[in-house]
Amino acid sequence: MADKKFTSPSGVITSPELSADYNQAPVFDKIRVGDLGVYFVDGLKTRYIPYDCAERVFIRLQEVRGKLCCGMTTFLYSRLVFVSGGKEILCLPTENEKAMDDALALIAQKAPGLAIGVEETA
C-alpha cells in the first residue's frame, strides 16, 4: 500500500513513519494530534504541522453576531492557532470548543517544549 502524502510548511512529504503516526493519532473534530505533529484535511490535501515547526500554540475564541430572519444571535467559534516566527501559520476554526481544549492539552503533553497559551506582555 502506498504511503499517504502530507503537505507540510517545508513541502510535500511521503513517509511510512508519518503515515503510521497519522493512522494512530486521536481525532479532535477536524484535527488529529499525533506523536510527530498535528494533521488536518484542507481541501484535497492532508496538512501536517510538525511540533518543531511552531513556537506557540493557543486557542482563540471568536464571537460572531449573526442576523437571522427572526432577530440576532451570537455564534462562538474556537480557533486552534499555531505561531512560528511571530506569524500565524495555522488558524483552524471549529464550533467544538471542548475538542480544541482536549487537542491543546494533548499537544502540550506530546510537545513539552512548545509554548502553550497566549504570550504574557509586560
Side-chain angles (χ1 to χ4, degrees), residues 64-80:
V64 178
R65 291 195 48 126
K67 190 173 184 180
L68 306 172
C69 62
C70 56
M72 301 283 282
T73 190
T74 302
F75 299 98
L76 182 65
Y77 291 96
S78 296
R79 295 177 178 270
L80 186 64

PDB file of all heavy atoms in Angstrom, residues 64-80:
ATOM      1  N   VAL A  64     -19.224  35.729  16.807  1.00  0.00           N
ATOM      2  CA  VAL A  64     -19.727  36.281  15.551  1.00  0.00           C
ATOM      3  C   VAL A  64     -21.223  36.521  15.721  1.00  0.00           C
ATOM      4  O   VAL A  64     -21.971  35.613  16.068  1.00  0.00           O
ATOM      5  CB  VAL A  64     -19.476  35.311  14.373  1.00  0.00           C
ATOM      6  CG1 VAL A  64     -20.049  35.874  13.090  1.00  0.00           C
ATOM      7  CG2 VAL A  64     -17.999  35.022  14.234  1.00  0.00           C
ATOM      8  N   ARG A  65     -21.639  37.756  15.477  1.00  0.00           N
ATOM      9  CA  ARG A  65     -23.075  38.073  15.565  1.00  0.00           C
ATOM     10  C   ARG A  65     -23.720  37.740  14.229  1.00  0.00           C
ATOM     11  O   ARG A  65     -23.269  38.188  13.188  1.00  0.00           O
ATOM     12  CB  ARG A  65     -23.271  39.537  15.904  1.00  0.00           C
ATOM     13  CG  ARG A  65     -22.830  39.822  17.337  1.00  0.00           C
ATOM     14  CD  ARG A  65     -23.314  41.132  17.828  1.00  0.00           C
ATOM     15  NE  ARG A  65     -24.723  41.305  17.557  1.00  0.00           N
ATOM     16  CZ  ARG A  65     -25.635  41.607  18.463  1.00  0.00           C
ATOM     17  NH1 ARG A  65     -25.279  41.780  19.696  1.00  0.00           N
ATOM     18  NH2 ARG A  65     -26.883  41.776  18.139  1.00  0.00           N
ATOM     19  N   GLY A  66     -24.761  36.941  14.323  1.00  0.00           N
ATOM     20  CA  GLY A  66     -25.466  36.537  13.112  1.00  0.00           C
ATOM     21  C   GLY A  66     -26.837  37.154  13.051  1.00  0.00           C
ATOM     22  O   GLY A  66     -27.563  37.185  14.042  1.00  0.00           O
ATOM     23  N   LYS A  67     -27.205  37.661  11.886  1.00  0.00           N
ATOM     24  CA  LYS A  67     -28.520  38.244  11.690  1.00  0.00           C
ATOM     25  C   LYS A  67     -29.397  37.188  11.035  1.00  0.00           C
ATOM     26  O   LYS A  67     -29.092  36.689   9.954  1.00  0.00           O
ATOM     27  CB  LYS A  67     -28.413  39.485  10.805  1.00  0.00           C
ATOM     28  CG  LYS A  67     -29.676  40.295  10.740  1.00  0.00           C
ATOM     29  CD  LYS A  67     -29.406  41.583   9.991  1.00  0.00           C
ATOM     30  CE  LYS A  67     -30.648  42.449  10.006  1.00  0.00           C
ATOM     31  NZ  LYS A  67     -30.423  43.704   9.301  1.00  0.00           N
ATOM     32  N   LEU A  68     -30.454  36.827  11.723  1.00  0.00           N
ATOM     33  CA  LEU A  68     -31.384  35.820  11.236  1.00  0.00           C
ATOM     34  C   LEU A  68     -32.715  36.482  10.891  1.00  0.00           C
ATOM     35  O   LEU A  68     -32.949  37.645  11.202  1.00  0.00           O
ATOM     36  CB  LEU A  68     -31.587  34.740  12.298  1.00  0.00           C
ATOM     37  CG  LEU A  68     -30.302  34.087  12.823  1.00  0.00           C
ATOM     38  CD1 LEU A  68     -30.615  33.183  13.987  1.00  0.00           C
ATOM     39  CD2 LEU A  68     -29.625  33.310  11.719  1.00  0.00           C
ATOM     40  N   CYS A  69     -33.604  35.719  10.300  1.00  0.00           N
ATOM     41  CA  CYS A  69     -34.900  36.288   9.921  1.00  0.00           C
ATOM     42  C   CYS A  69     -35.697  36.738  11.146  1.00  0.00           C
ATOM     43  O   CYS A  69     -36.495  37.658  11.063  1.00  0.00           O
ATOM     44  CB  CYS A  69     -35.705  35.269   9.115  1.00  0.00           C
ATOM     45  SG  CYS A  69     -36.072  33.767  10.042  1.00  0.00           S
ATOM     46  N   CYS A  70     -35.471  36.086  12.291  1.00  0.00           N
ATOM     47  CA  CYS A  70     -36.256  36.400  13.483  1.00  0.00           C
ATOM     48  C   CYS A  70     -35.480  37.229  14.503  1.00  0.00           C
ATOM     49  O   CYS A  70     -35.930  37.414  15.626  1.00  0.00           O
ATOM     50  CB  CYS A  70     -36.748  35.107  14.132  1.00  0.00           C
ATOM     51  SG  CYS A  70     -35.422  33.974  14.523  1.00  0.00           S
ATOM     52  N   GLY A  71     -34.313  37.728  14.152  1.00  0.00           N
ATOM     53  CA  GLY A  71     -33.542  38.543  15.085  1.00  0.00           C
ATOM     54  C   GLY A  71     -32.049  38.311  14.949  1.00  0.00           C
ATOM     55  O   GLY A  71     -31.555  37.942  13.891  1.00  0.00           O
ATOM     56  N   MET A  72     -31.332  38.514  16.051  1.00  0.00           N
ATOM     57  CA  MET A  72     -29.877  38.368  16.079  1.00  0.00           C
ATOM     58  C   MET A  72     -29.510  37.232  17.030  1.00  0.00           C
ATOM     59  O   MET A  72     -30.225  36.960  17.986  1.00  0.00           O
ATOM     60  CB  MET A  72     -29.219  39.659  16.581  1.00  0.00           C
ATOM     61  CG  MET A  72     -29.522  40.891  15.756  1.00  0.00           C
ATOM     62  SD  MET A  72     -28.601  40.968  14.247  1.00  0.00           S
ATOM     63  CE  MET A  72     -27.031  41.500  14.834  1.00  0.00           C
ATOM     64  N   THR A  73     -28.375  36.615  16.769  1.00  0.00           N
ATOM     65  CA  THR A  73     -27.830  35.605  17.673  1.00  0.00           C
ATOM     66  C   THR A  73     -26.312  35.677  17.599  1.00  0.00           C
ATOM     67  O   THR A  73     -25.751  36.291  16.695  1.00  0.00           O
ATOM     68  CB  THR A  73     -28.325  34.184  17.329  1.00  0.00           C
ATOM     69  OG1 THR A  73     -27.943  33.292  18.374  1.00  0.00           O
ATOM     70  CG2 THR A  73     -27.768  33.706  16.020  1.00  0.00           C
ATOM     71  N   THR A  74     -25.656  35.055  18.568  1.00  0.00           N
ATOM     72  CA  THR A  74     -24.205  35.049  18.608  1.00  0.00           C
ATOM     73  C   THR A  74     -23.704  33.621  18.472  1.00  0.00           C
ATOM     74  O   THR A  74     -24.170  32.716  19.162  1.00  0.00           O
ATOM     75  CB  THR A  74     -23.699  35.657  19.933  1.00  0.00           C
ATOM     76  OG1 THR A  74     -24.213  36.979  20.049  1.00  0.00           O
ATOM     77  CG2 THR A  74     -22.192  35.705  19.972  1.00  0.00           C
ATOM     78  N   PHE A  75     -22.759  33.414  17.569  1.00  0.00           N
ATOM     79  CA  PHE A  75     -22.113  32.124  17.386  1.00  0.00           C
ATOM     80  C   PHE A  75     -20.711  32.219  17.967  1.00  0.00           C
ATOM     81  O   PHE A  75     -20.043  33.240  17.816  1.00  0.00           O
ATOM     82  CB  PHE A  75     -22.026  31.768  15.902  1.00  0.00           C
ATOM     83  CG  PHE A  75     -23.355  31.651  15.230  1.00  0.00           C
ATOM     84  CD1 PHE A  75     -23.860  32.708  14.490  1.00  0.00           C
ATOM     85  CD2 PHE A  75     -24.101  30.490  15.333  1.00  0.00           C
ATOM     86  CE1 PHE A  75     -25.085  32.611  13.863  1.00  0.00           C
ATOM     87  CE2 PHE A  75     -25.324  30.382  14.705  1.00  0.00           C
ATOM     88  CZ  PHE A  75     -25.822  31.441  13.970  1.00  0.00           C
ATOM     89  N   LEU A  76     -20.258  31.158  18.635  1.00  0.00           N
ATOM     90  CA  LEU A  76     -18.930  31.139  19.227  1.00  0.00           C
ATOM     91  C   LEU A  76     -18.070  30.127  18.474  1.00  0.00           C
ATOM     92  O   LEU A  76     -18.431  28.957  18.360  1.00  0.00           O
ATOM     93  CB  LEU A  76     -18.996  30.757  20.709  1.00  0.00           C
ATOM     94  CG  LEU A  76     -17.682  30.743  21.463  1.00  0.00           C
ATOM     95  CD1 LEU A  76     -17.094  32.153  21.535  1.00  0.00           C
ATOM     96  CD2 LEU A  76     -17.877  30.198  22.861  1.00  0.00           C
ATOM     97  N   TYR A  77     -16.946  30.586  17.944  1.00  0.00           N
ATOM     98  CA  TYR A  77     -16.010  29.724  17.237  1.00  0.00           C
ATOM     99  C   TYR A  77     -14.711  29.640  18.017  1.00  0.00           C
ATOM    100  O   TYR A  77     -14.233  30.640  18.561  1.00  0.00           O
ATOM    101  CB  TYR A  77     -15.703  30.269  15.837  1.00  0.00           C
ATOM    102  CG  TYR A  77     -16.862  30.192  14.899  1.00  0.00           C
ATOM    103  CD1 TYR A  77     -17.686  31.283  14.704  1.00  0.00           C
ATOM    104  CD2 TYR A  77     -17.141  29.016  14.223  1.00  0.00           C
ATOM    105  CE1 TYR A  77     -18.770  31.213  13.837  1.00  0.00           C
ATOM    106  CE2 TYR A  77     -18.225  28.936  13.357  1.00  0.00           C
ATOM    107  CZ  TYR A  77     -19.023  30.039  13.171  1.00  0.00           C
ATOM    108  OH  TYR A  77     -20.095  29.958  12.327  1.00  0.00           O
ATOM    109  N   SER A  78     -14.133  28.448  18.078  1.00  0.00           N
ATOM    110  CA  SER A  78     -12.798  28.248  18.633  1.00  0.00           C
ATOM    111  C   SER A  78     -11.844  28.085  17.465  1.00  0.00           C
ATOM    112  O   SER A  78     -12.173  27.439  16.475  1.00  0.00           O
ATOM    113  CB  SER A  78     -12.754  26.983  19.491  1.00  0.00           C
ATOM    114  OG  SER A  78     -13.582  27.106  20.598  1.00  0.00           O
ATOM    115  N   ARG A  79     -10.677  28.665  17.600  1.00  0.00           N
ATOM    116  CA  ARG A  79      -9.664  28.543  16.554  1.00  0.00           C
ATOM    117  C   ARG A  79      -8.371  28.066  17.200  1.00  0.00           C
ATOM    118  O   ARG A  79      -7.879  28.691  18.137  1.00  0.00           O
ATOM    119  CB  ARG A  79      -9.429  29.886  15.865  1.00  0.00           C
ATOM    120  CG  ARG A  79     -10.638  30.377  15.105  1.00  0.00           C
ATOM    121  CD  ARG A  79     -10.354  31.748  14.501  1.00  0.00           C
ATOM    122  NE  ARG A  79     -11.484  32.201  13.723  1.00  0.00           N
ATOM    123  CZ  ARG A  79     -11.645  31.962  12.426  1.00  0.00           C
ATOM    124  NH1 ARG A  79     -10.747  31.274  11.773  1.00  0.00           N
ATOM    125  NH2 ARG A  79     -12.710  32.418  11.794  1.00  0.00           N
ATOM    126  N   LEU A  80      -7.842  26.964  16.697  1.00  0.00           N
ATOM    127  CA  LEU A  80      -6.547  26.474  17.142  1.00  0.00           C
ATOM    128  C   LEU A  80      -5.498  27.186  16.299  1.00  0.00           C
ATOM    129  O   LEU A  80      -5.501  27.081  15.071  1.00  0.00           O
ATOM    130  CB  LEU A  80      -6.446  24.959  16.964  1.00  0.00           C
ATOM    131  CG  LEU A  80      -5.191  24.305  17.517  1.00  0.00           C
ATOM    132  CD1 LEU A  80      -5.132  24.466  19.033  1.00  0.00           C
ATOM    133  CD2 LEU A  80      -5.150  22.841  17.147  1.00  0.00           C
TER     134      LEU A  80
END
